[in-house]
Amino acid sequence: MSIQLPEIDPFHKALICAQAHERGEFLGQLLALLQVLRVRGFDVSNKLEALMESCDNAELLRIWIERAVTATTLDDVFVLPRE
C-alpha cells in the first residue's frame, strides 16, 4: 500500500526545500551551541535546553553561539544586557 501525494508545482517545491534547508541549518547551529556549552563544562539543564529549542530567532542564536565561546557563566550567554 502506497500513499499518493499531490503534485507540487516547481515554485512551491523549491520554497518547501529552501525552508527545510534553512530549518536544518538552524537545528545544526542549535546542536553546535549545546555541544560548545557542554565541552566548556557547563551543566545544561533540561529547562535551559527547552529554552534553546524554543528559540526561532536566527540572530539570537548567533549571539548565543558567539557568547558561548568566551562565557564564564551561563548567564553570560543567555541573559540580555540591560539598557
Side-chain angles (χ1 to χ4, degrees):
M1 176 185 216
S2 65
I3 298 173
Q4 293 292 327
L5 298 175
E7 276 296 312
I8 300 174
D9 64 88
F11 172 78
H12 286 98
K13 191 175 200 175
L15 182 62
I16 291 168
C17 288
Q19 289 172 340
H21 179 76
E22 186 177 298
R23 184 67 183 156
E25 284 184 5
F26 190 83
L27 291 174
Q29 290 176 339
L30 191 57
L31 290 173
L33 172 59
L34 187 57
Q35 183 67 15
V36 167
L37 292 172
R38 288 186 172 147
V39 166
R40 297 209 53 235
F42 291 111
D43 182 24
V44 180
S45 68
N46 291 340
K47 184 177 178 181
L48 183 55
E49 238 182 282
L51 168 75
M52 293 167 50
E53 290 172 1
S54 70
C55 178
D56 62 357
N57 182 317
E59 179 62 17
L60 180 58
L61 181 57
R62 184 192 64 76
I63 290 168
W64 287 348
I65 291 169
E66 287 179 1
R67 290 178 181 174
V69 173
T70 59
T72 56
T73 69
L74 288 172
D75 282 345
D76 292 341
V77 179
F78 296 102
V79 173
L80 297 176
R82 291 191 173 154
E83 295 185 22

